[in-house]
Amino acid sequence: MLDDRSRKTAPERRESILRAAAEVFGRHGYVGATTDQIAKAAGISQPYVVRLFGSKEALFLAVLRSAKDELLADFRAGLAEARAAGSGIEGTLASLGDRYVELARQRGVHLSLLQAFVQGADPVIGAAARAGYLEIWRFLREEADLTVELAKDFLGQGMLLSVLLSVDMPVLDGDADAHELLIAVCGPKLPLLIEST
Amino acid sequence: MLDDRSRKTAPERRESILRAAAEVFGRHGYVGATTDQIAKAAGISQPYVVRLFGSKEALFLAVLRSAKDELLADFRAGLAEARAAGSGIEGTLASLGDRYVELARQRGVHLSLLQAFVQGADPVIGAAARAGYLEIWRFLREEADLTVELAKDFLGQGMLLSVLLSVDMPVLDGDADAHELLIAVCGPKLPLLIEST
DNA sequence: GTCTATAATACGATAGAC
DNA sequence: GTCTATCGTATTATAGAC
């Protein structure tokens, strides 16, 4: 889990911290995650994490923005693919859904997004989280051209998968009920989510 | 928001703490909420909160159990009502959905549940959260007799509403996109969620 | 570009009085 | 049944060296 310890340029270092922070924030939440855990996961010292981003809050905002951008980029790729294949609404939904499930392989993106959403009471993080959420909604409605009804159902399945990842339901895959639930949400792609770190 | 300051029996006091804690944990999360915030919301001293429940963790587990039990009780009432009315699957789903939305009036239940789900990495809280989640799944499948597909879709809409409450989307009700999204999820019951504390 | 040392604070928990 | 006082610890952030 440790990155290398050699010197890097600041932008490179920011990138590795961002990746490490997405995982740690994703698992422990904005308040629960410590800058020291993030530093260790990135293979550097705690003060340096703070130095490069200014504050824990600024780092979390950077993680939020980056996760949301990654999700939207993947959605746009899926949308382009569906349109190139000439598939209709059904195909578009399937393509977007596939991207969403596949993004779950690096847990960081979905988990840190949900941890941001759950922080609505924080004046600055809450505001950023709401803005990000609406960006995603606008993508579904305007770019992907989904009806309100379809966009809402799609989002619901997304939130369900995110919550299941967050509660770490895959660790209970042995349990019959847990397995039924996971299969219902992920379909045949479930194995993807069991093994990944 | 303060409860009264008179003496109470221990069980009564535990009840008011539980209600206050559900709100505070719901808004700030397990780690972010402080026992002092909870104490102030309940109108007592911080050490007394700890004294009555043993630890912050024990208090959170009590909140989780109580929230889950309230949700299941409401679901059971809705199910009984639907069956008494002789409605089919559609009516059952509508009845359960209504209960879910109405439970959102006291934010505590949905918010603290989601904050528990998001704590999957914590050995003890995560385990309790997973067990609670599966209890709800089993209710939908076995007691309410929903198919896997219907239960999954119902749960998805529930998670979507919970996340929207958690990110505090109702504060943006003026925004056209936010309003469209909220109306899609809550239907005509939306006003219920805007005014409530 | 990165570290060590440390200051400053906030928080959960305990002790003990009333 | 409930409070005040306080200890011990964990954590963010800063200062300054290399």
Side-chain angles (χ1 to χ4, degrees):
Chain A
M1 185 56 78
L2 294 186
D3 270 7
D4 69 24
R5 277 122 202 287
S6 54
R7 284 190 120 111
K8 287 184 175 177
T9 66
E12 285 171 338
R13 194 55 91 183
R14 283 178 60 100
E15 250 320 301
S16 11
I17 296 178
L18 234 33
R19 267 194 302 275
E23 301 275 337
V24 178
F25 277 133
R27 297 216 180 274
H28 304 288
Y30 169 54
V31 188
T34 71
T35 54
D36 192 55
Q37 288 176 306
I38 294 167
K40 287 201 167 64
I44 58 177
S45 72
Q46 179 268 332
Y48 193 32
V49 169
V50 174
R51 172 87 117 208
L52 278 183
F53 286 86
S55 67
K56 183 184 180 180
E57 182 183 76
L59 171 57
F60 189 79
L61 290 173
V63 167
L64 167 56
R65 176 162 25 245
S66 139
K68 175 212 60 181
D69 288 346
E70 248 186 276
L71 175 62
L72 281 176
D74 271 30
F75 273 171
R76 291 198 170 99
L79 183 59
E81 184 189 67
R83 292 204 162 137
S87 23
I89 281 293
E90 278 309 312
T92 298
L93 283 170
S95 182
L96 294 177
D98 282 356
R99 299 284 171 158
Y100 198 90
V101 175
E102 265 151 33
L103 237 195
R105 284 157 79 177
Q106 327 108 307
R107 297 281 209 273
V109 174
H110 289 317
L111 293 190
S112 58
L113 278 176
L114 188 55
Q115 294 286 1
F117 297 152
V118 115
Q119 221 52 40
D122 181 294
V124 20
I125 292 176
R130 285 187 287 277
Y133 211 98
L134 288 180
E135 259 189 76
I136 295 167
W137 177 250
R138 264 183 253 115
F139 166 83
L140 295 174
R141 291 281 289 124
E142 295 164 18
E143 290 187 51
D145 262 325
L146 299 181
T147 64
V148 168
E149 192 71 11
L150 285 176
K152 177 201 70 171
D153 290 346
F154 180 82
L155 211 46
Q157 291 310 297
M159 291 304 96
L160 175 51
L161 176 51
S162 289
V163 171
L164 291 178
L165 290 174
S166 206
V167 80
D168 215 356
M169 198 58 84
V171 307
L172 291 191
D173 184 60
D175 178 283
D177 296 310
H179 188 77
E180 181 184 66
L181 172 51
L182 286 166
I183 280 286
V185 176
C186 307
K189 282 191 200 290
L190 176 57
L192 235 69
L193 303 187
I194 308 283
E195 23 186 341
S196 36
T197 306
Chain B
M1 186 54 80
L2 292 187
D3 269 7
D4 70 22
R5 277 123 202 290
S6 53
R7 283 188 121 101
K8 289 184 174 177
T9 66
E12 283 171 338
R13 195 54 92 180
R14 283 178 61 101
E15 249 321 300
S16 14
I17 296 178
L18 233 33
R19 266 194 303 275
E23 300 276 336
V24 178
F25 278 133
R27 297 216 178 275
H28 304 288
Y30 169 54
V31 188
T34 70
T35 53
D36 192 55
Q37 288 176 306
I38 294 167
K40 288 200 166 66
I44 57 176
S45 72
Q46 178 268 332
Y48 194 33
V49 169
V50 175
R51 173 85 117 210
L52 277 183
F53 287 85
S55 68
K56 183 184 180 181
E57 182 182 76
L59 171 56
F60 188 79
L61 290 173
V63 167
L64 167 55
R65 176 162 25 246
S66 138
K68 176 213 58 180
D69 287 346
E70 248 185 278
L71 176 61
L72 281 176
D74 271 29
F75 273 170
R76 291 197 170 99
L79 183 59
E81 183 189 67
R83 293 206 162 135
S87 24
I89 281 292
E90 278 310 310
T92 299
L93 283 170
S95 182
L96 294 178
D98 282 357
R99 300 284 172 158
Y100 197 90
V101 175
E102 266 151 33
L103 238 194
R105 284 158 79 177
Q106 327 108 308
R107 297 281 208 272
V109 174
H110 289 318
L111 293 190
S112 59
L113 277 175
L114 187 55
Q115 294 286 2
F117 297 153
V118 114
Q119 221 51 40
D122 182 294
V124 19
I125 292 176
R130 285 187 287 278
Y133 210 99
L134 288 179
E135 258 189 78
I136 295 167
W137 176 250
R138 262 182 254 115
F139 166 83
L140 295 174
R141 291 281 289 125
E142 294 165 19
E143 291 187 51
D145 261 325
L146 299 181
T147 64
V148 169
E149 192 72 11
L150 285 176
K152 177 200 70 171
D153 290 345
F154 180 82
L155 211 46
Q157 291 309 298
M159 292 302 96
L160 176 51
L161 176 52
S162 290
V163 171
L164 291 177
L165 290 174
S166 205
V167 80
D168 215 357
M169 197 58 83
V171 307
L172 291 190
D173 184 59
D175 179 284
D177 295 310
H179 188 77
E180 180 183 68
L181 173 50
L182 287 166
I183 280 286
V185 176
C186 307
K189 282 190 202 291
L190 176 57
L192 235 69
L193 303 187
I194 308 283
E195 24 188 337
S196 36
T197 308

